[in-house]
Amino acid sequence: MFFKECKKAVFSITFLLYVFVVFAMYISQFDSDTSVPEPAPSASSGDYGYTDKLIPETLMPNAIDGLVGEYLSGEFTTYPTGFYKKVVLTEKKKTALAAIITELTGLTAEELDGFEDDYIPEGFSYVPDENGDVVLSYHEQVIPEITVPESLTYERFRELMDEADKIIGGGSYYGEKGISRYYSRVPKTYEDALADYNHLIYDEKVTGAYARLFCDYAGIDLAVMPVFVAAALVSLDRKSRMSDLIYSRKISSLRLMFTRFAALVTVMLIPAAVTVVMANISVSSRYPELTVDLLAIPKLAAVWLIPNVLLAAAVGMFVTELSSPILAVFVQGAWWMASLMSADNLTGEISPFKLVCRHNSLYKYEAFENTLPQFIFNRTFFTVLSLVLVALTAAVYELKRRGIWNGLFSSGKNSFRKSSV
């Protein structure tokens, strides 16, 4: 029966669509982004990008300037659930925030309010150029110079910023997560860039870094495309009226659903496995002079990507059996879209319950390492959840088989019971 289910899945139009998307994503994203070897940094470049370093002497004045600027503008940018939200404080909250700014800056409330006349928000404005023509020009935020009190310790600064974040409503630039992300960026030095490059080439043997980038891209489509194949396969029995025959067989509903699930996952992992091999060959060929770790991409892909296929297939089976294939696609698609849209950082964007894990960089290994416990929990959680959903699918199927229930949004009895009356 396993091979029959595999055959049904493979010869469906939705599976062909799935294969096309898997390979299209690989070619257009990963392969195109890694078409040339990563160059070693040049000592004469002078521009090596940015890195995140918690340097209090840099972070504190930058974050305080940001907080004062938003206070003077009257609006705060937040991402409370990963989505953008503009916050305007009530007078009571604005007074509480002013008290915090007073301790952070040493300014009185009157001095702070007096800054409003000299404050210029970040943005665009029309200014005359050297020829006298009016052109649109970008300008950074302008506020009077603020001196951080010498008595303000870094620990107290972080406490006050956490309080400010709570007053604003959470998800601002000033909470624990936001302040590290937005105000700890400093220019990389040549030594920083060289250390990152050496880590990629020698410590991770090239493919360790490329494995994360490959899984980042592949994980996007594998978190949603399997739902189409699963929903189509489950609904196929209804259209071909195979349910009547299957209902009458002695095979248990649990065994049937897990056999179908295993078949679906197996056939959908084959195209993904092919892209893993292609990625290995591609990366190795671009660094012929180096000894690469040929197991790095397959090992990480197994842990990172298989749970995506398991979950999307399980959701497709469960919701289709419960209601309809259209609803199954909608549920998984909405969940997938919400996960992608809520990512405000594409590097190290991993949390315990986020559907799509992101790490869109060959570098910043420490960001991935810091979230490794969440990553392991995340992948384990979704693997277990997928198995639970298949078991629930079997339970729903058994109710239909016995003629007890025919699913949501459905009137009448199932076809097997009708035919047996």
Side-chain angles (χ1 to χ4, degrees):
M1 184 173 184
F2 171 79
F3 293 105
K4 288 183 179 180
E5 294 292 324
C6 288
K7 184 178 179 181
K8 283 197 296 183
V10 167
F11 287 100
S12 66
I13 296 177
T14 51
F15 180 73
L16 296 178
L17 173 64
Y18 167 82
V19 173
F20 173 79
V21 171
V22 168
F23 284 101
M25 176 68 85
Y26 171 81
I27 294 170
S28 65
Q29 298 299 317
F30 178 79
D31 196 54
S32 64
D33 279 4
T34 59
S35 57
V36 295
E38 193 68 10
S42 170
S44 60
S45 171
D47 182 10
Y48 308 104
Y50 290 86
T51 186
D52 295 336
K53 288 186 178 180
L54 291 177
I55 303 175
E57 294 77 13
T58 301
L59 186 150
M60 291 171 66
N62 288 343
I64 291 173
D65 283 352
L67 180 61
V68 172
E70 289 202 299
Y71 173 86
L72 294 174
S73 72
E75 297 179 351
F76 296 85
T77 297
T78 67
Y79 298 88
T81 58
F83 293 95
Y84 169 81
K85 179 182 179 182
K86 181 179 71 175
V87 173
V88 178
L89 299 182
T90 62
E91 284 301 319
K92 182 178 180 180
K93 288 186 176 182
K94 191 173 182 180
T95 300
L97 187 59
I100 290 175
I101 294 176
T102 294
E103 186 173 347
L104 287 169
T105 62
L107 299 168
T108 65
E110 291 74 17
E111 290 174 324
L112 180 61
D113 290 337
F115 279 2
E116 292 183 1
D117 296 333
D118 301 315
Y119 168 70
I120 301 176
E122 175 186 21
F124 291 87
S125 60
Y126 288 97
V127 296
D129 63 7
E130 55 187 13
N131 299 320
D133 298 325
V134 178
V135 296
L136 186 64
S137 176
Y138 169 79
H139 57 79
E140 295 184 351
Q141 169 183 272
V142 177
I143 61 174
E145 184 177 350
I146 296 174
T147 302
V148 180
E150 293 184 3
S151 59
L152 181 65
T153 65
Y154 180 67
E155 290 72 20
R156 180 56 180 162
F157 161 80
R158 292 300 294 262
E159 290 175 0
L160 291 171
M161 283 297 185
D162 284 338
E163 290 180 25
D165 179 64
K166 291 176 183 177
I167 291 173
I168 296 168
S172 72
Y173 296 153
Y174 314 106
E176 181 177 358
K177 184 178 179 181
I179 203 168
S180 300
R181 177 170 297 167
Y182 296 106
Y183 295 111
S184 64
R185 299 188 73 201
V186 296
K188 275 186 181 181
T189 63
Y190 169 71
E191 290 73 20
D192 291 332
L194 184 61
D196 287 344
Y197 178 79
N198 287 337
H199 181 82
L200 183 154
I201 298 297
Y202 302 111
D203 295 342
E204 298 202 87
K205 296 182 179 179
V206 177
T207 48
Y210 280 89
R212 292 191 297 276
L213 186 62
F214 170 80
C215 291
D216 173 79
Y217 285 131
I220 294 174
D221 55 293
L222 291 181
V224 67
M225 290 306 299
V227 73
F228 291 91
V229 184
L233 183 62
V234 173
S235 62
L236 183 63
D237 287 346
R238 299 178 184 175
K239 294 179 181 179
S240 60
R241 300 188 65 83
M242 285 294 293
S243 298
D244 294 355
L245 178 61
I246 296 174
Y247 284 170
S248 62
R249 289 187 174 182
K250 292 183 179 180
I251 185 173
S252 69
S253 297
L254 191 65
R255 182 182 174 187
L256 175 62
M257 289 301 107
F258 271 97
T259 300
R260 175 170 291 173
F261 180 65
L264 278 167
V265 170
T266 299
V267 299
M268 286 190 287
L269 285 179
I270 292 174
V274 172
T275 62
V276 169
V277 175
M278 292 169 64
N280 240 348
I281 295 173
S282 176
V283 174
S284 301
S285 66
R286 292 183 179 119
Y287 297 87
E289 73 284 1
L290 299 175
T291 300
V292 301
D293 182 2
L294 294 177
L295 294 178
I297 297 178
K299 286 191 297 186
L300 186 62
V303 176
W304 190 316
L305 302 179
I306 289 177
N308 284 10
V309 177
L310 293 175
L311 183 68
V315 170
M317 289 179 59
F318 175 65
V319 180
T320 300
E321 199 63 62
L322 189 70
S323 178
S324 72
I326 295 176
L327 184 62
V329 171
F330 175 80
V331 169
Q332 187 67 16
W335 189 4
W336 173 79
M337 182 60 70
S339 180
L340 288 179
M341 295 297 292
S342 66
D344 57 345
N345 180 26
L346 299 184
T347 304
E349 182 68 25
I350 298 170
S351 58
F353 302 104
K354 179 161 282 190
L355 176 63
V356 182
C357 300
R358 300 303 309 270
H359 193 96
N360 192 249
S361 174
L362 291 175
Y363 297 101
K364 298 186 179 180
Y365 169 75
E366 67 283 354
F368 180 76
E369 187 178 39
N370 291 339
T371 57
L372 192 57
Q374 294 98 303
F375 175 76
I376 294 173
F377 177 87
N378 177 292
R379 299 293 84 186
T380 303
F381 171 77
F382 284 120
T383 298
V384 173
L385 178 60
S386 65
L387 298 178
V388 170
L389 287 174
V390 177
L392 291 174
T393 304
V396 173
Y397 193 83
E398 182 65 19
L399 292 175
K400 291 183 176 182
R401 203 173 184 180
R402 296 184 180 184
I404 299 174
W405 187 55
N406 204 40
L408 296 175
F409 313 120
S410 177
S411 59
K413 303 175 181 179
N414 61 54
S415 59
F416 173 68
R417 181 156 186 173
K418 285 183 178 181
S419 64
S420 62
V421 173

